[in-house]
């Protein structure tokens, strides 16, 4: 099941609950023992400045990413909607 979830989420656009598209889902942090998802790593779009948003940032594969806790995910459909 976690593999299916990861496949369905990979590459989806991420939007805040106020309707702003912030980037594309790049990676998922997951506890391999429990299958629990921790953070979503989102590659910001070029026109998005990370300091404009209240998300923590991290470096993943040499690039700055938003690190968004899965608890902030409000819905997943055509895109991932996260609480701003």
């Amino acid at each position: 099941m976690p593999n299916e979830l990861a496949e369905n989420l990979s590459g989806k656009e991420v939007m805040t609950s106020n309707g702003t598209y912030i980037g594309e889902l790049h990676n998922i942090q997951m506890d391999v023992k429990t299958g629990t998802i921790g953070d979503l790593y989102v590659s910001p779009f070029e026109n998005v400045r990370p300091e404009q948003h209240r998300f923590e940032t991290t470096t993943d594969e040499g690039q700055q990413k938003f690190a968004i806790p899965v608890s902030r995910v409000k819905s997943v459909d055509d895109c991932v909607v996260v609480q701003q």
Side-chain angles (χ1 to χ4, degrees):
M1 178 68 171
N3 288 340
E4 292 173 21
L5 177 61
E7 284 180 21
N8 290 332
L9 291 176
S10 181
K12 283 197 181 273
E13 291 185 333
V14 179
M15 176 176 70
T16 64
S17 54
N18 68 1
T20 303
Y21 283 90
I22 60 169
E24 184 176 288
L25 183 61
H26 176 78
N27 209 347
I28 299 171
Q29 177 192 45
M30 185 169 69
D31 183 321
V32 293
K33 291 182 182 178
T34 65
T36 304
I37 296 174
D39 290 335
L40 306 181
Y41 294 123
V42 177
S43 298
F45 289 136
E46 286 185 27
N47 63 337
V48 173
R49 294 193 347 241
E51 61 274 6
Q52 293 177 315
H53 299 279
R54 296 182 195 141
F55 302 119
E56 288 187 37
T57 58
T58 188
T59 302
D60 183 44
E61 296 181 6
Q63 297 181 341
Q64 188 175 24
K65 307 278 192 266
F66 291 119
I68 303 174
V70 73
S71 62
R72 294 181 75 172
V73 174
K74 296 300 176 191
S75 67
V76 177
D77 196 3
D78 292 336
C79 68
V80 179
V81 179
V82 295
Q83 181 66 40
Q84 177 64 33

